Amino acid sequence: MKILVCIKQVVNPEKVEYNPETRTIKRNAQHLMNNPADLSALEFALRIKDVYKDVHITTLSMGPSECESKIKELIEVGCDSCVLLSDKRLAGSDAYSTAYALAKAIEKLGNFDLILCGESSLDGETSIVPPQIAEYLNIPHIAFASNIKVLELQRIEVERKVKNTVFKFEVNLPALISVKKESSYLRLPKLSFMIKALSYTPQVLSLDDLENFDFSKVGAEGSKTSVDRFVEQCFEDVKCEIYEEIEDAQIECIADLVTRFL
């Protein structure tokens, strides 16, 4: 089975800086991190490989060359190969343009049985890139998965949890699944993989490597949406109440607050 995991390198939310002229996020290599929801998707791919040894995992990222150091971290947990789509003509691309470019890169890389993505990226939070990729590739798509099981070759079961209810879907492969951020946590690196990562160089693709590519669909000019302005959000001070002796009504109030976040 060939699995491809789309992993975005985002700027650490605590260190985000904006370019007011281009209205884009400044990407400093020292502040980059792999998108947490995408790492949850990667963990599902690694769990499948734990069971089925013939599984090959490729990761696909899109961004500037500064992303390479973070991409190599994916080798440290057991990925077989990593690809970076990097081209200055992609600068300023929105979700629509990103999905188009990634879909064309996936077509270039070959036929994958399963494509996994995080539900959204920390810096965009649109959640629309995964379904758009699936539409471009003309394959089935299930969003916000909480678990994935391989039932048999070329068929998987996908679970989606909505509050206290779990919905189960079965889908034939190839398919694309977007994974909820909290559904799994990426395992720690292994020493043997860390040694491999030291000498590993990700494959880099440019737009010129992609076939039948429509350059008018990417970059700021090809994007359907753009950032209008940045607004600094101010947070109010959080009030904390401490109960030393709790009455039944207060217990119910606390229980209600806790269940809202489960």
Side-chain angles (χ1 to χ4, degrees):
M1 178 185 290
K2 293 176 63 178
I3 301 178
L4 182 134
V5 187
C6 295
I7 297 183
K8 185 177 183 180
Q9 286 69 48
V10 298
V11 178
N12 188 324
E14 297 180 354
K15 301 173 181 176
V16 170
E17 296 180 5
Y18 300 97
N19 185 328
E21 295 182 358
T22 61
R23 287 173 289 180
T24 56
I25 296 175
K26 294 182 180 178
R27 287 177 175 266
N28 185 321
Q30 295 179 335
H31 297 164
L32 289 177
M33 57 183 285
N34 291 311
N35 186 50
D38 299 340
L39 296 182
S40 293
L42 175 58
E43 175 58 28
F44 279 120
L46 292 168
R47 291 179 186 178
I48 294 173
K49 187 172 183 176
D50 289 341
V51 178
Y52 302 93
K53 301 303 180 186
D54 61 341
V55 169
H56 188 283
I57 300 175
T58 301
T59 68
L60 173 62
S61 303
M62 177 177 135
S65 58
E66 287 81 357
C67 297
E68 286 194 30
S69 61
K70 288 298 169 186
I71 290 174
K72 291 181 69 169
E73 293 180 3
L74 307 174
I75 295 294
E76 296 179 353
V77 294
C79 293
D80 297 292
S81 59
C82 300
V83 180
L84 173 63
L85 177 61
S86 184
D87 195 302
K88 291 183 178 179
R89 289 169 286 186
L90 291 167
S93 293
D94 68 351
Y96 162 81
S97 297
T98 298
Y100 173 72
L102 290 175
K104 298 301 287 187
I106 293 170
E107 288 179 350
K108 170 68 177 179
L109 293 171
N111 297 320
F112 291 93
D113 301 292
L114 178 61
I115 299 173
L116 299 176
C117 305
E119 60 176 328
S120 63
S121 63
L122 280 179
D123 55 1
E125 295 285 1
T126 66
S127 299
I128 60 177
V129 170
Q132 286 184 325
I133 294 174
E135 287 298 313
Y136 278 122
L137 298 175
N138 194 28
I139 58 176
H141 165 255
I142 298 175
F144 309 119
S146 56
N147 197 16
I148 300 172
K149 299 176 183 176
V150 176
L151 299 177
E152 56 189 59
L153 194 62
Q154 299 302 311
R155 189 166 180 81
I156 61 173
E157 179 186 87
V158 179
E159 295 182 1
R160 179 198 288 175
K161 185 177 181 182
V162 180
K163 292 189 175 179
N164 295 324
T165 303
V166 176
F167 296 86
K168 293 186 177 182
F169 306 86
E170 291 185 15
V171 59
N172 292 328
L173 302 179
L176 185 149
I177 312 297
S178 69
V179 173
K180 288 189 69 65
K181 180 173 61 179
E182 307 84 2
S183 57
S184 65
Y185 295 95
L186 185 63
R187 63 193 60 185
L188 295 173
K190 287 180 65 175
L191 179 59
S192 57
F193 295 145
M194 293 171 69
I195 295 173
K196 176 184 176 182
L198 289 175
S199 58
Y200 184 81
T201 302
Q203 179 186 358
V204 180
L205 295 177
S206 75
L207 295 186
D208 293 326
D209 295 318
L210 308 184
E211 299 173 358
N212 301 319
F213 195 87
D214 186 348
F215 293 90
S216 68
K217 289 186 176 181
V218 297
E221 296 296 325
S223 296
K224 303 290 187 184
T225 59
S226 62
V227 176
D228 181 53
R229 65 185 186 279
F230 298 117
V231 178
E232 193 76 23
Q233 186 174 6
C234 298
F235 295 95
E236 298 179 356
D237 293 336
V238 177
K239 295 181 180 178
C240 179
E241 296 184 23
I242 299 176
Y243 297 98
E244 295 183 354
E245 295 182 2
I246 304 178
E247 298 177 356
D248 291 344
Q250 292 170 328
I251 293 176
E252 293 178 1
C253 180
I254 294 172
D256 180 60
L257 287 172
V258 171
T259 54
R260 291 183 189 181
F261 295 97
L262 292 179

